[in-house]
Amino acid sequence: MSTHRTAGSTTETRPRGVADLTGPGSGPTAARGSMVRRILLGGQLRRLREACGVTREEAGYAIRASESKISRMELGRVSFKQRDVADLLTLYGVIDEAEREPLLALAKSSGMTGWWHSYNDVVPGWFQTYVGLEAAAERISTYELQFVHGLLQTEDYAHAVVVSGHRGRLPRSEVDRRIALRLERQKLLFSEGSPHLHCVLDEAALRRPYGGRQVMNAQLRALLEFSDYSRVTLQVVPFSHGGHVAESGAFTLLRFAQEELADLVYLEQLTGAQYLDKREEVAAYQRVLEGLAEAAASPSETRDLIRKLID
C-alpha cells in the first residue's frame, strides 16, 4: 500500500486491490485546467452570440461548421481553434484587440489534450467528455445501484464488470484498455486538490457478486478503506429501508469551483449520455440526492454493514 496524498495531518493510502498506475506526466491533474478553460470560453462565446442575436446555425456558417459543433463548443466539449474563435468574435462584434486578446489566449491555453483522449480506441466520445468534466469537478455526487462506482473499483472487480457487461465478446486487449482507463480515473482521488466524492450505493450493488466471492470481498474491503478518506463520503441505502426517491436510476451530479460553471447532471445510457445543466433540472436531482442521503445508512453505519457482508 503506497502513500499518495496527505490531507491535513492524515496520510491516505491507496487501498489494496486498487492498482497504482502512477507515472510521469500521467493522471488527471495536468489536464484538469484545460477542461475548465474550454467550459469558460464556451460559455463566454454563447453569451456573446446571444447578446447580438446570432443563431447557432449562422455562427456555424461563419466558421464553416455545423450548428451542432457550435453547440458543443459553447458547452466546452470540443477543443477550440484560434482561427474559429477569432472569426466568431468578429461575427459577434468584438473587434477591440483588448477584448479579443484574453479570449484568444484562453482558446490557446485550452488546447491541452486530456490523458483520456489516448483511450479513444475503446471509449466513445460522449464518455470522454464525462471523464474530462469529472477531472475538473470540485465535488462529485453519485448514486449507483448496479455496481460499485468506477472511482472506487478494484482492478479485479473492474475486470469482472467489463467482461460481464459485454458478455465475453471483447478481445482481451480491449478489456485491458478499458480497465486501465477506469484505474487511471482513480488517480483523481489521490491527486492534489482532489474533489470531494459523495457516493451513495444501493445495497444491491454490494450483494451482486461480480467476479465471485473472493473478488467481491476484496472490493468490499477496498470500500472500507475508501470510506476512511477525508474527501470521500460513502453511504449505502439498505434493503430494509424499502423504496426511496431515486426511482429514475443511477446519476452523477458534478459541481465546479468556478462560479461561472453551472452544475451538471450526467445520465449514462446504453449508446450515449445526457448532460443536464438547467437550474431546475439540477435542483431536482439535488433534492433526490438529499433524499437518498437521508434514507441511507450513515457513513459509520455503512462501514458496519460492509463488514457484515464480508463476514
Side-chain angles (χ1 to χ4, degrees):
M1 200 186 305
S2 55
T3 301
H4 278 259
R5 75 177 173 87
T6 301
S9 60
T10 303
T11 300
E12 296 176 343
T13 59
R14 188 181 299 271
R16 287 180 292 273
V18 175
D20 183 354
L21 298 179
T22 304
S26 63
T29 306
R32 196 179 292 165
S34 63
M35 173 60 79
V36 170
R37 287 190 287 271
R38 282 200 296 271
I39 298 173
L40 289 172
L41 178 56
Q44 184 63 22
L45 290 175
R46 177 180 55 78
R47 286 188 287 272
L48 289 170
R49 177 183 60 76
E50 292 175 346
C52 63
V54 174
T55 67
R56 288 194 181 96
E57 184 178 6
E58 291 168 338
Y61 182 80
I63 63 169
R64 303 156 295 280
S66 64
E67 178 182 355
S68 62
K69 181 176 179 180
I70 294 296
S71 178
R72 292 194 300 274
M73 290 174 67
E74 292 180 350
L75 291 170
R77 294 175 191 162
V78 292
S79 58
F80 292 88
K81 294 180 180 178
Q82 284 185 280
R83 185 185 69 178
D84 289 344
V85 174
D87 289 345
L88 288 174
L89 292 177
T90 300
L91 177 66
Y92 302 155
V94 182
I95 56 177
D96 187 295
E97 283 302 316
E99 295 181 51
R100 291 168 64 91
E101 185 54 37
L103 294 174
L104 291 172
L106 198 57
K108 183 177 181 180
S109 63
S110 68
M112 180 186 295
T113 300
W115 61 264
W116 49 88
H117 291 294
S118 64
Y119 290 91
N120 60 12
D121 57 324
V122 294
V123 179
W126 52 264
F127 188 69
Q128 290 184 41
T129 298
Y130 170 75
V131 175
L133 292 169
E134 179 183 71
E138 178 186 48
R139 185 177 180 88
I140 303 168
S141 302
T142 185
Y143 169 65
E144 290 283 358
L145 71 165
Q146 173 79 2
F147 38 67
V148 172
H149 190 270
L151 288 176
L152 303 177
Q153 292 180 6
T154 65
E155 186 172 4
D156 289 339
Y157 181 90
H159 182 275
V161 171
V162 171
V163 170
S164 65
H166 293 84
R167 301 175 64 184
R169 292 191 296 262
L170 294 179
R172 178 59 186 267
S173 59
E174 185 168 341
V175 170
D176 290 344
R177 292 275 290 157
R178 288 173 180 266
I179 295 169
L181 169 65
R182 195 159 301 187
L183 298 175
E184 188 81 23
R185 284 170 56 203
Q186 290 183 354
K187 290 183 180 180
L188 191 61
L189 300 180
F190 310 108
S191 65
E192 290 297 324
S194 60
H196 185 276
L197 172 65
H198 181 193
C199 180
V200 181
L201 296 174
D202 193 277
E203 185 175 341
L206 304 185
R207 289 190 176 274
R208 184 169 287 108
Y210 281 102
R213 181 167 182 170
Q214 185 175 353
V215 169
M216 198 65 208
N217 277 348
Q219 175 62 71
L220 292 173
R221 286 192 291 271
L223 286 178
L224 282 177
E225 295 189 52
F226 274 123
S227 70
D228 284 330
Y229 279 31
S230 61
R231 296 187 64 78
V232 172
T233 301
L234 180 64
Q235 292 183 269
V236 171
V237 182
F239 287 153
S240 60
H241 180 79
H244 53 70
V245 294
E247 57 188 26
S248 59
F251 66 92
T252 298
L253 195 157
L254 301 174
R255 179 161 291 165
F256 305 92
Q258 294 77 7
E259 291 184 4
E260 302 93 328
L261 302 188
D263 296 347
L264 287 174
V265 172
Y266 171 76
L267 302 173
E268 188 169 316
Q269 299 159 349
L270 183 62
T271 57
Q274 279 185 289
Y275 295 89
L276 309 179
D277 61 358
K278 292 182 180 178
R279 186 170 299 178
E280 61 272 18
E281 292 176 326
V282 174
Y285 278 90
Q286 180 63 46
R287 288 192 295 270
V288 169
L289 192 67
E290 291 167 359
L292 283 168
E294 291 178 6
S298 69
S300 61
E301 291 169 341
T302 290
R303 285 190 283 273
D304 290 341
L305 191 156
I306 292 173
R307 291 188 188 101
K308 288 178 182 178
L309 288 175
I310 294 173
D311 294 339

